[in-house]
Amino acid sequence: MLTVLSGEKKTINFSLVMKALSNAPSLIIDCANYVDPHKLFSYVIEEELNNVYVINAEAIYRLRDTLFNVHIFARNINAKAIYVTTIGELFSYD
């Protein structure tokens, strides 16, 4: 499943985490540093967030390592969906 979300950071965070909750268990690979599930405590029960896993991949080398191992992460949590935020903001040493 590929989902494209646009807008301001607050809107994307809410939309993405709510979508991940509806497809839980799910994995979010956050390249844009947009995802903060803690900001949704007033909208969702904390226990619901236990099935949404977030991996920060703020640098290109971290994304590479995450992608090499994403099949293991997904299998371990029995993920129904994997979401990746935009990679245009990744930090690269080159």
Side-chain angles (χ1 to χ4, degrees):
M1 170 183 354
L2 174 63
T3 303
V4 178
L5 299 170
S6 62
E8 64 182 66
K9 186 174 183 176
K10 181 180 177 183
T11 304
I12 291 174
N13 179 59
F14 183 82
S15 299
L16 181 58
V17 175
M18 294 306 283
K19 188 143 193 77
L21 281 170
S22 69
N23 290 300
S26 57
L27 174 65
I28 300 173
I29 301 172
D30 187 15
C31 301
N33 198 24
Y34 274 13
V35 180
D36 185 0
H38 301 289
K39 291 190 176 188
L40 298 180
F41 281 153
S42 58
Y43 300 100
V44 297
I45 300 168
E46 185 175 352
E47 288 75 23
E48 289 180 296
L49 293 174
N50 290 338
N51 287 320
V52 175
Y53 301 85
V54 180
I55 299 173
N56 289 328
E58 69 285 343
I60 195 75
Y61 70 89
R62 179 73 188 257
L63 176 61
R64 181 200 64 210
D65 294 345
T66 300
L67 292 177
F68 280 139
N69 295 300
V70 74
H71 65 285
I72 298 168
F73 303 142
R75 184 178 57 232
N76 286 344
I77 66 169
N78 198 26
K80 289 184 183 177
I82 299 171
Y83 301 91
V84 182
T85 61
T86 182
I87 62 172
E89 299 176 37
L90 280 177
F91 178 76
S92 174
Y93 290 106
D94 295 327

